[in-house]
Structure formats: C-alpha cells, structure tokens
Amino acid sequence: MTTRNVKCEIIKHIGNLKNGKYTKEINFVSWNGKKPVYDIRNYNVDGNGIKTALKGISLNFEEIRILKDILNNTELEKL
C-alpha cells in the first residue's frame, strides 16, 4: 500500500458550518501547491488545536457559482 503526503494550505477561511471536536468548514484551499479551490470539508481538531482534513468536496469557481445559484433559487425545507 502506498501512502501519500497531501499538503492542505487554507488560503482563506470562509466560515464554519459546525463546531466541536469535528468541525465542518468552507475554505479556499490549495492542495499540494496547486491553484486554490473552494472546499467544504470536515476537520478533526486535536487537543492542541491542530486540524486534520477529513472527507469533503472541492469545487472550482464555476462549480461553486452554480451551487450558489441553485441554493439561492431553492426553497429549503427541513426533512
């Protein structure tokens, strides 16, 4: 099994969706030094405040713009 070192650099923190031991954040992130993307992801925060990136989704500018349009034009409902 090959392990990969993945570098996650948060360029700009946009906001938190959930706080606690596990946080869910929206950030502008550069993965392995590549062009930054919008990122919605869970992070594990240890006792020292160090965050480890967990599962999430990265979206480019066009994808986040489409998502924003969809949400702005959708009546949200609690299921």
Side-chain angles (χ1 to χ4, degrees):
M1 183 170 129
T2 304
T3 58
R4 295 181 352 178
N5 287 335
V6 178
K7 184 178 180 210
C8 168
E9 180 184 358
I10 298 174
I11 305 298
K12 180 180 180 183
H13 176 72
I14 298 169
N16 285 9
L17 300 172
K18 177 182 167 187
N19 290 309
K21 179 179 178 190
Y22 296 99
T23 65
K24 186 173 289 179
E25 302 180 11
I26 301 174
N27 296 308
F28 202 48
V29 173
S30 172
W31 292 98
N32 294 326
K34 294 182 181 173
K35 182 178 177 179
V37 292
Y38 289 90
D39 194 77
I40 302 170
R41 184 163 308 276
N42 288 315
Y43 290 87
N44 179 27
V45 182
D46 71 11
N48 298 318
I50 297 173
K51 293 195 277 189
T52 303
L54 302 173
K55 290 184 179 183
I57 182 171
S58 293
L59 303 165
N60 64 32
F61 178 80
E62 184 63 18
E63 292 166 331
I64 200 79
R65 188 194 62 74
I66 291 169
L67 176 60
K68 183 177 184 289
D69 288 345
I70 290 169
L71 292 174
N72 284 338
N73 293 307
T74 301
E75 183 68 34
L76 299 179
E77 57 186 272
K78 190 173 183 178
L79 302 176

